[in-house]
Amino acid sequence: MTDSPKRGFARRASQLTPFKVVDFLDAAMARQAAGEDIIRMEVGEPIFSLPAPMAAAAHHAQSNTHQGYTSSLGMPALRQAIAHFYAQRYGIDLDPARVIVTTGSSAALGMVCDLLLNPGDSLLLTDPGYPCNANFVHRCDATPVRIPVVAENHYQPSPEDIQRHWRNDTAGLLVASPGNPTGDMLSRSALTALHGAVTQHGGTLIVDEIYHGLSYDEASEVSVLELTDDAFVINSFSKYFAMSGWRLGWLVAPEEALDPLRLMTQNFHISPPSLAQHVALAAFEPECIALFEARRAELRARRDFLVPALRELGLRISHPPPGAFYIYAGIETLADDCEAFCWDMLARAGVSITPGTDFGHFQAHNHVRFSYTAEPLPRLEQAVERLAKVLARREI
Ligand SMILES: Cc1ncc(COP(=O)(O)O)c(C=O)c1O
């Protein structure tokens, strides 16, 4: 038999970029497993126990129902509950038919990109932004075009940015509000202006609202659904509802997109996880919502402690982030390589944080992200003490 040349992998596989936080997460967990006391500030998921009504729903569903496939768009009762949630929170009359329950918002992001992007197209993203977005675009053989965003504009793009970065092949813009890694938000007027700028070019606006429910101060969360029916909305049970491991999210789509999305989800996922949907349904019970709101207050207290404490250590934080559970901080006066800085802090302070380079290129090397969702306030105080000690001894 003659050896035929080995076929390589598709080009898109080589375009994938790593999700660096996972390297830090793995390293932090390995140190913990080896008995080290690591303060976890790299993880982007809330670590809270399952509220009793949700645990009861899981138990009941497991004992009484067959955990088979559900409707590929999600259980009708859950789609109805999500639509009702929009009525309660935002006063929006949302047709449940426009709600598609997905396997985490990751599946929703993938499907929207699959729907909107032809090979050779481009999609505008923010820099910094959620690292996986660029890879969803690569998966379509399309190009992510990153718009550098600055603290002065709340780390969000402006209509002028859209004008400047729009190309003939641009299909639209994906923004997150509150965003990851900055926690910054789009006001109603900023969101309206962005929607106007995108539609003026004949493009599509996608808004990732996964951190809705987690905003502090007076900053009000505006859903793009309050402004228009022609945008795509990404959301999830992973953050406010603290169900990250259950892998459940949702997508609200314009009516004309429902048919192709139904075919995609049928073919690519068959259905979202059944047990998770029963649990998510219970998440809307008043007792659970009250608990999520108490957690929101707890997260605000953590943020309010950390912002001044980190500034005191020399980290640059332009303004307290209004939402999510992240602080995106400049380390210009402390180090010139964020990855080396994060590895150093993990090894010497036992504090695990994420390098800015996970979130893009623009000024990334002198930023780091602190997540304040995994550890209670006393542990965060301890983290600051440890960092202070190490930084006092450290030479750049
Ligand atoms: C902005 C943003 N969008 C989407 C996701 C994906 O989340 P999931 O698939 O758990 O819903 C994340 C996860 O951290 C995120 O930060």
Side-chain angles (χ1 to χ4, degrees), residues 19 44-45 103-107 109 130-131 133 136 176 178-180 208 210-211 234-239 244 247-249 326 369:
F19 199 1
E45 60 177 348
T103 308
S105 69
S106 301
L109 282 163
Y130 177 55
N133 288 340
F136 289 118
N180 177 4
D208 184 340
I210 186 172
Y211 292 101
I234 308 289
N235 211 322
S236 180
F237 287 96
S238 290
K239 310 294 177 175
S244 48
R247 306 310 303 129
L248 211 61
Y326 304 120
R369 186 192 75 175

Side-chain angles (χ1 to χ4, degrees), residues 196-262:
V198 170
T199 45
Q200 196 190 357
H201 286 282
T204 304
L205 179 61
I206 309 161
V207 185
D208 184 340
E209 299 184 352
I210 186 172
Y211 292 101
H212 269 222
L214 296 171
S215 66
Y216 317 107
D217 309 324
E218 296 312 307
S220 66
E221 291 163 349
V222 184
S223 171
V224 73
L225 295 173
E226 295 175 59
L227 311 176
T228 178
D229 284 339
D230 67 13
F232 287 80
V233 172
I234 308 289
N235 211 322
S236 180
F237 287 96
S238 290
K239 310 294 177 175
Y240 177 68
F241 300 93
M243 289 178 61
S244 48
W246 294 86
R247 306 310 303 129
L248 211 61
W250 73 86
L251 169 63
V252 182
E255 224 167 286
E256 65 273 18
L258 296 175
D259 265 347
L261 286 169
R262 183 172 48 81

Side-chain angles (χ1 to χ4, degrees), residues 92-111:
I92 300 170
D93 182 14
L94 175 64
D95 182 354
R98 291 180 53 206
V99 177
I100 300 175
V101 179
T102 55
T103 308
S105 69
S106 301
L109 282 163
M111 284 204 300

